Amino acid sequence: MAKLILILGDQLSEQISSLKGADRQCDAVLICEVMAEATYVGHHKKKIAFLFSAMRHFADGLRQAGYQVRYTKIDDPENAGSFTGEVRRAVDALKPTSICVTEPGEWRVLNEMKLWPETLGLQVDMRDDTRFVCSHADFETWVAGRKSLTMEFFYRDMRRRTGLLMRGDEPIGGRWNFDAENRKPAKPDLLRPRHPSFEPDAITAEVLDNVGNLFPDNFGSLDGFRFAVTRADAQTALDSFVTDFLAGFGATQDAMLQDDPYLNHSLLSFYINIGFLDALSVCRAAERAYLEGNAPLNAVEGFIRQIIGWREYMRGIYWHAGPSYVDNNFFQNTRPLPSFYWSGKTDMNCLSIVITETIDHAYAHHIQRLMITGNFALLAGVDPKAVHLWYLEVYADAYEWVELPNVVGMSQFADGGLLGTKPYAASGNYIDRMSDYCGTCRFNPKQRLGENACPFNALYWDFLARNRGRLRANRRLAQPYATWDRMDEGTQQDLRRQAAGFLAKLQ
Ligand code: FAD
Ligand code: SF4
């Protein structure tokens, strides 16, 4: 036996760097479902099922391509329960001369692997994850000497580097960013095509059984499991997005509708994050749709920006900020996460809808995550670590490298502005404008005081008032603070009392 190549559950690509130069006859590929990874947080049942089924299908594909694959299922009686344990078992059985792995996506696993040369007595060849456009070194070069790490400038560099939507050195359309055209509310549209869904096959059925038996108390429902679990089906999902949804992606990107959880979003993060789809190829498919006249520039630019902009940037921030990033708590918030985050049982219709959709689908789109569940936690002063753990548990696309900066940085502003220029805090007015949630809510988004007032309203002003010392210097908040200052003292006190009364009853 030559090398032992470990492929992790979010590295399911034949192009993964650990497979480069592999000898299909002599090297062994190890893929393992281990309890330590399935339980470091109580992941959504659908997330575990998605990953295990995708891993089993991927392993079959490798075998068909001639690789020697050693696969450990979660219910294998010999399963050692951790990466270290499974690698050790494989080393004892196969006697490889070295171990090869693509760098993992989080500090926790990286720290575990760093011990292997000593504990396993073998050389570990840890390779860069080349699925990203921007390497760690490139990100550090970009960061060096900058006062502000604004994503927009990073994004422009990524556009130049990839040539996406570029004509020479200039952005196509003469502007880098068409976001101003992407903030429209949406109307119910019965003619909107349906996103593709994929019937579980025998492998998935077995996994669903395993997950139902082993993780019965985890968050979420296994009913209606329809994820793509092969690369080919993920490609079908991409094709369908480009054909049916991309053109409308931009305009309705920030919209929310109660009978349409997906709108024109791509539902591709699951597949990109585990390696079934290559991020750059996804962007090229979108760019092609624009060049061929099948989708407008605002939609395609907006979509590409999410991937080579935000996605790459979040990964860069995660590794740049280091493992202590998770401890950031700029506002010193300590409130526990309200229990309705686990059940969806609350009178606030917007939260009830988004959390119930999360329970059902292990998915919510970006604005639901940012402006409903994230916004409420921010306004209510919830401990950002508790918010982070919730997001890591409940979404099928959640991996710490992308979830943590989105939650701690973008959504909770707990890093004090390393990543964002202002907190994403909003009152009921924003939610009313961008969704149809308020029409059937027991609260009134126009009312600030009284029993029927939308809780987001008083909480919004209370958030600004109680954090004034910390946010005073933020010029982007000058206008809301000016509005607050124009209110008479009695109104200010009423709003703060209303917020305090609501928060006191929250648990
Ligand atoms: P679309 O709306 O169709 O967007 C296209 C693609 O762009 C996505 O598939 C994704 O790959 C990328 N993308 C968009 N926004 C972001 C972003 N802010 N950061 C990184 N990539 C982005 N994304 C995750 O992949 N995993 C997470 O755990 C995660 N947690 C989040 C938590 C919070 C509080 C917030 C505000 C955002 C989070 N995001 C996360 C980013 C974003 O919400 C999801 O990527 C997106 O909702 C996935 O759905 P989609 O594929 O339909 O995306
Ligand atoms: Fe949410 Fe307030 Fe609208 Fe109700 S009225 S749905 S609580 S924003």
Side-chain angles (χ1 to χ4, degrees):
M1 176 59 53
K3 295 191 290 218
L4 179 68
I5 301 169
L6 173 65
I7 296 187
L8 307 182
D10 59 353
Q11 299 180 343
L12 308 182
S13 160
E14 274 203 56
Q15 270 63 54
I16 197 78
S17 57
S18 55
L19 279 180
K20 291 269 148 61
D23 182 328
R24 294 181 196 209
Q25 306 291 312
C26 303
D27 296 337
V29 174
L30 171 66
I31 303 178
C32 43
E33 302 167 3
V34 293
M35 238 354 150
E37 294 310 301
T39 56
Y40 70 90
V41 292
H43 306 280
H44 195 298
K45 293 191 194 88
K46 277 201 171 95
K47 178 183 180 184
I48 305 178
F50 165 60
L51 273 165
F52 286 177
S53 181
M55 288 161 70
R56 292 182 194 187
H57 283 91
F58 179 73
D60 281 354
L62 285 187
R63 283 192 196 102
Q64 279 158 24
Y67 288 95
Q68 315 301 311
V69 180
R70 178 184 165 101
Y71 194 96
T72 316
K73 290 185 178 173
I74 191 73
D75 59 349
D76 182 333
E78 308 283 302
N79 191 323
S82 68
F83 285 140
T84 302
E86 275 305 290
V87 171
R88 192 189 301 278
R89 258 188 356 113
V91 167
D92 290 346
L94 305 172
K95 311 275 183 260
T97 51
S98 67
I99 298 167
C100 180
V101 64
T102 293
E103 57 174 328
E106 55 197 277
W107 289 102
R108 186 180 54 82
V109 181
L110 179 65
N111 290 337
E112 182 178 344
M113 288 179 174
K114 278 185 175 163
L115 302 174
W116 290 353
E118 200 179 321
T119 53
L120 301 173
L122 279 176
Q123 185 208 328
V124 177
D125 173 12
M126 191 178 296
R127 300 183 177 174
D128 289 348
D129 192 338
T130 50
R131 290 175 294 171
F132 292 91
V133 176
C134 185
S135 69
H136 301 314
D138 290 342
F139 195 80
E140 291 311 318
T141 307
W142 180 77
V143 165
R146 270 169 203 274
K147 277 212 190 95
S148 147
L149 302 185
T150 311
M151 195 290 289
E152 182 63 26
F153 296 107
F154 171 81
Y155 165 58
R156 291 178 191 181
D157 273 7
M158 293 302 107
R159 288 274 294 278
R160 290 189 191 95
R161 178 178 299 195
T162 57
L164 280 162
L165 294 180
M166 296 294 288
R167 192 159 288 134
D169 288 339
E170 295 302 315
I172 288 182
R175 268 157 55 198
W176 292 99
N177 184 317
F178 290 79
D179 219 17
E181 292 164 39
N182 290 350
R183 296 189 182 129
K184 299 195 172 65
K187 291 206 174 63
D189 179 356
L190 293 174
L191 299 178
R192 203 189 320 276
R194 293 175 72 89
H195 284 271
S197 70
F198 304 89
E199 252 335 281
D201 63 4
I203 293 178
T204 303
E206 189 191 349
V207 168
L208 291 172
D209 257 11
N210 291 158
V211 175
N213 291 334
L214 291 170
F215 309 98
D217 299 326
N218 280 37
F219 179 82
S221 157
L222 276 177
D223 294 345
F225 181 96
R226 291 291 182 274
F227 286 101
V229 289
T230 63
R231 210 199 80 78
D233 283 350
Q235 183 64 42
T236 302
L238 169 61
D239 295 344
S240 145
F241 168 68
V242 171
T243 310
D244 292 332
F245 302 97
L246 176 60
F249 175 84
T252 58
Q253 202 181 331
D254 288 5
M256 296 170 278
L257 287 182
Q258 44 189 332
D259 292 327
D260 191 345
Y262 308 131
L263 289 148
N264 291 305
H265 289 274
S266 69
L267 316 192
L268 294 178
S269 52
F270 325 110
Y271 312 130
I272 300 173
N273 289 354
I274 65 165
F276 272 178
L277 295 177
D278 169 58
L280 202 51
S281 309
V282 169
C283 292
R284 298 241 181 264
E287 182 190 45
R288 219 162 26 247
Y290 166 70
L291 295 174
E292 289 168 2
N294 296 325
L297 186 54
N298 68 304
V300 174
E301 185 282 314
F303 179 73
I304 285 176
R305 174 158 29 88
Q306 306 310 313
I307 296 182
I308 59 166
W310 282 112
R311 186 172 184 273
E312 292 281 335
Y313 174 78
M314 291 300 185
R315 178 191 186 241
I317 292 283
Y318 175 78
W319 290 105
H320 170 73
S324 61
Y325 190 71
V326 69
D327 298 321
N328 275 302
N329 191 351
F330 179 66
F331 296 118
Q332 299 296 306
N333 286 333
T334 54
R335 184 178 302 284
L337 193 74
S339 56
F340 64 73
Y341 273 73
W342 303 109
S343 66
K345 291 195 170 70
T346 162
D347 283 351
M348 291 176 279
N349 199 33
C350 50
L351 282 156
S352 170
I353 288 172
V354 173
I355 295 167
T356 305
E357 286 176 3
T358 300
I359 291 170
D360 290 345
H361 311 305
Y363 176 84
H365 69 67
H366 185 69
I367 292 301
Q368 294 177 309
R369 297 186 206 198
L370 186 63
M371 301 312 294
I372 306 293
T373 40
N375 181 26
F376 183 84
L378 174 71
L379 299 184
V382 178
D383 176 356
K385 202 176 273 179
V387 185
H388 146 63
L389 289 173
W390 184 79
Y391 279 96
L392 193 57
E393 291 200 11
V394 304
Y395 291 113
D397 59 14
Y399 302 89
E400 198 180 78
W401 65 265
V402 56
E403 173 275 330
L404 186 69
N406 266 300
V407 174
V408 164
M410 184 189 275
S411 156
Q412 300 302 296
F413 203 74
D415 63 6
L418 173 76
L419 184 158
T421 51
K422 75 172 176 101
Y424 281 96
S427 67
N429 188 29
Y430 171 87
I431 297 171
D432 192 27
R433 193 168 67 247
M434 296 312 298
S435 79
D436 63 356
Y437 296 161
C438 302
T440 46
C441 183
R442 97 152 190 72
F443 296 108
N444 181 347
K446 307 260 181 293
Q447 223 173 300
R448 294 193 302 196
L449 297 171
E451 217 186 291
N452 294 329
C454 166
F456 281 82
N457 292 338
L459 287 178
Y460 172 75
W461 291 113
D462 185 60
F463 164 79
L464 286 178
R466 75 173 183 268
N467 291 305
R468 188 160 199 164
R470 295 188 177 88
L471 297 173
R472 195 187 301 277
N474 191 315
R475 275 182 293 164
R476 295 197 64 199
L477 293 174
Q479 199 200 342
Y481 276 119
T483 308
W484 173 254
D485 289 340
R486 277 197 303 276
M487 288 180 203
D488 61 66
E489 214 180 303
T491 310
Q492 290 181 345
Q493 278 171 6
D494 285 347
L495 282 168
R496 297 214 61 184
R497 255 196 303 272
Q498 170 99 8
F502 175 83
L503 290 174
K505 285 191 273 175
L506 195 57
Q507 290 315 317

